Amino acid sequence: MLEIKNLHVKLEEEEKQILKGVDLTVEAGKVHAIMGPNGSGKSTLSYVLSGRDGYEVTEGSATLDGEDLLELEPEERAALGVFLAFQYPVEIPGVGNMTFLRTAVNAQRKARGEDELSASDFLKLVRERAKALKIDADMLKRPVNVGFSGGEKKRNEILQMAVLEPKMCILDETDSGLDVDAMKLVAEGVNALRDEGRGFLVITHYQRLLDHIKPDVVHIMADGRIVKSGGPELALEVEHNGYGDILAEVQ
Amino acid sequence: MAVPEQKQSATEARLSAMELPEPGCTRAAREAALARVCEMGLPSRRDEYWKYTRPDTLVDPVALPAAVFQNDEKPLFDGVDRLKIVFVDGVFDPDQSDDLSLEGVRIDRLEDICCKDIHWAKDLYGVLEARGHNPVPRPLAALNTAFASDGVAIHITQKVSKPISLIYRHASESSDAILHHVVRVEEGAEATILENGPAASRFNKCMEIDIADGGTLHHVRAQGRDHERRAVTHMFTRLGRESVYKSFTLTVNGVLTRNEQVIELTGDDAVAHVAGACVGDGDFHHDDTVFITHDAVNCESRQVFKKVLRNGAVGVFQGKILVKEGAQKTDGYQISQSLLLDDDSQFLAKPELEIYADDVACSHGSTSGAIDETALFYMRSRGVPEKQATDLLTLAFLAEAVEEIEDEALAGDIVDRLDGWLSRRA
Ligand SMILES: Nc1ncnc2c1ncn2[C@@H]1O[C@H](COP(=O)(O)OP(=O)(O)O)[C@@H](O)[C@H]1O
Ligand SMILES: [Mg+2]
């Protein structure tokens, strides 16, 4: 599904290389986790995949079901099925959460040549998905993420994902800043979306999220590269010993 | 103070091209206003008060022509049940207007206030304007009082069931209109006045509003979209005890607009809100100039002005709150913001506070910024195309001003207009 080959990325404004040859393939139906120390390039990878400005790809490729993602505008990638749950969800004063979601759903449907969702179908869908994430009507009415707590913002990201039903879900430290209950809600939201046709790339700093979202493959990223890949046991190793041993081993 | 020579000759040039209307009961007020004009001289670009806006095309003897804007959108406030009063190129048109009788309000043409002996209107005409040359002269308002060729006197005595809608059509490319309205809201009475349309190629409008204790006036206006039109407007409002004045203005297009609001809170517990949303593209210069005087206890004033500018458009905001001695517990809020959609556009702001009481809460803020790139990317990453995301952020930026309109249907119409403006832009 998602195929990243030898991806090299530098900052557009500075001579600073951040990704130094990332290779990664996420198959449909699988959950891949990326762990790694702060500053290793995890968020950069997620931004480059979703099309944020400010980065320059100097080498390599990234495709989704064979389509070259790097050539596309962010909204085109979204319509293809790429979704990024932001590490820091953005506040948008003056734009209602519902308005935003509905605009996004219908823009994607339009881009794919599908009919827009009717107001009532949309409402039904959102209410059902919101309920599972314990997002109340008030949160839906408020401007996007404005005045939301850290946990509410992360749940709102998962709500957007649940409503947009993307093919390739990238979650960037969705667990950070969450208490245990909120993390369970988020994990349940993710697990509910797991199916044959969908791939997940779960970026996390800690193993604890992976207790709830069981990954198929765990990658360790350091200094702009995937330095080690393995099964779920790799996450446990990190949990017990930190990154030190693994990094020493690969050097 | 002697008027500088250049100013004097410009003033004389304009005045020599005009004639005081027929003698009538407003004659004395008009002559007094003319004397004020001569004493002050018409504005020139050297005046501090016109530092950011060139007044010459408003002052020149002959108005520059302006093409009439055509499009097939439905007229503003079309779905609103209202009493329509239509002016074409600044002349009242009884055929296009509704019957002027409506419960709770009496409406007369300015020229009839003498023969019908309408005292309150005679006593108000030119009075608030004359008081309003403080702290700076507003000679174009005095010029208006002297030479206004038409207008209405609106006397609100009860809660009026539907808005009074002043519609200003523009028909002739060379029209040059001067309208002057007087409005009196009696104790406890309430009404909404709507204004819309470009009125003329050049438009000078003055409205004097006197709100008695406990009275309420809502004012919603949309200035015409004719690209080349020029307008200078003055609203002079005096508020009594526990009275309320809420005014909102939308400006879409127009090569030159100067809107002045001069508000005096003279009775305790009065409330005055003035708001404006303007969107300009290219050859567009829009100036909001506000002066609010707090002269009573526990009054609230609020100014919310938002401007969206692109392709070299210019926005100006000059807003001053004066809190007089003894005007304790004043709550004054002022915000002026611009959203610059490119580097060519410009926002010039001069917010001022002058406070002579000690127990007051006043705040003012002015900002100028571009579209929030982070928010834009966030929206695009959810599949919203760049143009649509930019439009949503633009409307969100204007929302705080539009939300000042209490009536939802009217606010909806204003948002539709903004949508229309956005959708016409690539
Ligand atoms: N826009 C940027 N400007 C400057 N430095 C950046 C920018 N984006 C990323 N970096 C740098 O790139 C490195 C990787 O950052 P990031 O991708 O956020 O790492 P991680 O998410 O793994 O913590 C860090 O050293 C970070 O400071
Ligand atoms: Mg990160």
Side-chain angles (χ1 to χ4, degrees):
Chain A
M1 169 165 269
L2 177 68
E3 233 177 305
I4 303 169
K5 284 190 188 148
N6 192 30
L7 190 65
H8 286 69
V9 172
K10 68 180 268 294
L11 290 178
E12 217 166 47
E13 307 270 290
E14 287 172 50
E15 283 313 309
K16 180 171 176 174
Q17 198 72 33
I18 301 174
L19 300 184
K20 302 170 181 173
V22 174
D23 285 288
L24 178 67
T25 300
V26 180
E27 309 81 5
K30 301 287 186 212
V31 174
H32 285 233
I34 298 186
M35 303 180 76
N38 271 331
S40 55
K42 304 183 298 294
S43 291
T44 301
L45 176 63
S46 70
Y47 285 144
V48 170
L49 292 174
S50 49
R52 188 177 192 143
D53 281 345
Y55 303 100
E56 190 184 324
V57 175
T58 52
E59 224 185 307
S61 66
T63 58
L64 185 72
D65 292 335
E67 294 251 17
D68 181 359
L69 286 179
L70 304 177
E71 282 295 303
L72 301 176
E73 298 295 335
E75 56 268 32
E76 295 170 324
R77 302 182 196 200
L80 266 190
V82 175
F83 181 93
L84 168 64
F86 282 52
Q87 180 171 2
Y88 304 106
V90 179
E91 298 186 6
I92 315 180
V95 177
N97 222 1
M98 280 296 246
T99 308
F100 176 46
L101 257 179
R102 189 154 167 224
T103 307
V105 167
N106 285 330
Q108 289 200 14
R109 294 178 74 100
K110 194 172 161 199
R112 291 193 293 259
E114 301 163 10
D115 284 341
E116 293 197 350
L117 267 193
S118 75
S120 64
D121 286 350
F122 170 75
L123 213 63
K124 231 173 88 189
L125 174 68
V126 173
R127 287 214 179 114
E128 179 200 309
R129 299 288 149 99
K131 199 171 158 203
L133 288 158
K134 298 214 165 96
I135 290 176
D136 60 21
D138 181 55
M139 250 175 86
L140 289 174
K141 264 189 245 147
R142 271 151 53 190
V144 181
N145 293 324
V146 177
F148 287 26
S149 70
E152 286 174 337
K153 283 181 182 170
K154 296 298 175 85
R155 275 188 280 145
N156 201 31
E157 293 291 285
I158 303 304
L159 172 67
Q160 293 174 15
M161 187 168 93
V163 170
L164 292 168
E165 300 180 328
K167 264 199 286 195
M168 183 63 225
C169 306
I170 306 166
L171 285 77
D172 190 3
E173 298 211 23
T174 299
D175 52 337
S176 65
L178 292 187
D179 61 27
V180 178
D181 290 340
M183 188 157 69
K184 275 191 187 146
L185 276 178
V186 163
E188 279 166 22
V190 172
N191 289 330
L193 283 172
R194 286 180 76 158
D195 79 29
E196 301 282 285
R198 188 168 282 135
F200 286 87
L201 190 57
V202 178
I203 296 169
T204 180
H205 209 63
Y206 303 102
Q207 129 79 17
R208 56 174 198 166
L209 180 68
L210 304 180
D211 285 341
H212 301 284
I213 306 172
K214 296 266 188 294
D216 298 295
V217 185
V218 174
H219 307 274
I220 306 297
M221 189 163 185
D223 193 24
R225 279 187 201 93
I226 304 283
V227 293
K228 190 169 182 180
S229 301
E233 70 287 350
L234 195 51
L236 289 170
E237 195 185 323
V238 169
E239 176 77 357
H240 293 300
N241 308 331
Y243 292 107
D245 289 358
I246 296 170
L247 298 185
E249 179 190 321
V250 297
Q251 257 155 25
Chain B
M1 195 181 68
V3 176
E5 203 176 311
Q6 211 177 3
K7 188 186 263 262
Q8 194 173 346
S9 62
T11 303
E12 278 165 11
R14 176 70 186 270
L15 293 178
S16 67
M18 307 177 86
E19 233 173 285
L20 277 191
E22 292 291 292
C25 61
T26 54
R27 181 73 187 199
R30 288 173 184 273
E31 281 171 355
L34 179 57
R36 284 194 289 280
V37 176
C38 295
E39 193 187 323
M40 296 182 274
L42 291 171
S44 81
R45 61 183 312 194
R46 298 232 175 97
D47 295 327
E48 176 69 17
Y49 202 53
W50 287 84
K51 190 168 153 188
Y52 302 125
T53 299
R54 291 188 61 158
D56 25 335
T57 54
L58 299 170
V59 168
D60 289 345
V62 177
L64 291 169
V68 176
F69 184 86
Q70 309 276 11
N71 88 353
D72 48 13
E73 273 178 88
K74 71 172 189 183
L76 198 67
F77 307 134
D78 205 32
V80 177
D81 182 25
R82 62 203 159 121
L83 185 139
K84 295 200 260 304
I85 304 174
V86 179
F87 295 84
V88 179
D89 290 329
V91 181
F92 175 68
D93 184 337
D95 296 337
Q96 294 193 51
S97 302
D98 290 332
D99 175 30
L100 299 186
S101 55
L102 179 65
E103 200 177 329
V105 60
R106 175 164 168 175
I107 302 164
D108 291 280
R109 262 181 100 173
L110 201 56
E111 61 178 35
D112 293 334
I113 64 173
C114 304
C115 58
K116 292 184 182 165
D117 208 20
I118 298 166
H119 284 285
W120 72 267
K122 287 192 279 184
D123 292 346
L124 184 57
Y125 189 85
V127 169
L128 297 185
E129 173 263 297
R131 288 169 65 92
H133 299 284
N134 200 347
V136 291
R138 302 173 212 278
L140 288 168
L143 184 81
N144 179 303
T145 301
F147 295 99
S149 54
D150 215 330
V152 282
I154 302 176
H155 192 200
I156 297 151
T157 52
Q158 291 169 36
K159 189 170 162 110
V160 181
S161 63
K162 57 183 178 185
I164 299 147
S165 179
L166 302 168
I167 298 164
Y168 305 129
R169 302 223 159 100
H170 176 202
S172 155
E173 291 201 356
S174 60
S175 52
D176 187 9
I178 304 182
L179 288 181
H180 193 118
H181 310 301
V182 284
V183 179
R184 162 111 184 140
V185 183
E186 293 297 346
E187 267 186 45
E190 180 174 345
T192 297
I193 293 180
L194 308 177
E195 294 184 281
N196 73 291
S201 297
R202 181 167 71 179
F203 186 35
N204 179 333
K205 191 213 72 180
C206 185
M207 189 182 282
E208 295 178 283
I209 302 167
D210 201 10
I211 310 179
D213 297 350
T216 297
L217 185 72
H218 294 276
H219 171 245
V220 178
R221 117 176 111 167
Q223 300 180 298
R225 292 175 290 169
D226 303 27
H227 290 278
E228 293 149 332
R229 63 138 189 87
R230 292 176 159 77
V232 55
T233 75
H234 290 85
M235 314 270 303
F236 295 97
T237 308
R238 179 166 62 189
L239 288 100
R241 196 166 40 80
E242 291 175 22
S243 66
V244 176
Y245 169 62
K246 292 190 178 175
S247 170
F248 171 87
T249 300
L250 170 74
T251 311
V252 176
N253 304 345
V255 67
L256 177 62
T257 307
R258 163 93 158 202
N259 291 330
E260 298 203 25
Q261 292 259 9
V262 182
I263 296 168
E264 279 182 279
L265 296 141
T266 64
D268 295 349
D269 306 304
V271 173
H273 292 187
V274 278
C278 90
V279 290
D281 191 345
D283 203 359
F284 174 91
H285 184 108
H286 188 277
D287 176 333
D288 278 301
T289 291
V290 181
F291 180 61
I292 298 183
T293 305
H294 281 260
D295 197 8
V297 175
N298 201 32
C299 291
E300 177 194 314
S301 71
R302 191 175 158 83
Q303 303 170 53
V304 181
F305 288 91
K306 301 265 187 161
K307 299 180 197 290
V308 175
L309 305 166
R310 54 178 271 171
N311 284 331
V314 179
V316 175
F317 175 78
Q318 308 187 95
K320 179 165 181 171
I321 305 174
L322 168 66
V323 180
K324 287 198 172 173
E325 208 181 317
Q328 302 296 7
K329 306 221 177 327
T330 285
D331 179 1
Y333 174 80
Q334 180 196 85
I335 187 149
S336 62
Q337 294 182 313
S338 75
L339 174 62
L340 305 177
L341 295 179
D342 52 45
D343 294 337
D344 300 334
S345 303
Q346 206 182 2
F347 179 55
L348 305 155
K350 189 179 170 199
E352 285 178 284
L353 286 175
E354 198 175 320
I355 301 176
Y356 298 101
D358 47 25
D359 182 15
V360 301
C362 282
S363 65
H364 65 98
S366 185
T367 63
S368 211
I371 284 278
D372 178 350
E373 288 295 330
T374 312
L376 188 63
F377 170 64
Y378 187 66
M379 297 175 91
R380 296 179 71 190
S381 79
R382 299 303 183 243
V384 183
E386 184 172 13
K387 162 82 168 81
Q388 200 180 354
T390 304
D391 287 357
L392 266 176
L393 291 172
T394 304
L395 285 176
F397 166 78
L398 293 167
E400 189 187 356
V402 177
E403 280 160 12
E404 291 290 316
I405 305 171
E406 281 186 14
D407 186 286
E408 276 182 27
L410 297 176
D413 272 17
I414 296 296
V415 171
D416 285 349
R417 268 292 138 94
L418 289 167
D419 273 335
W421 184 82
L422 291 167
S423 68
R424 284 194 298 275
R425 257 122 270 271

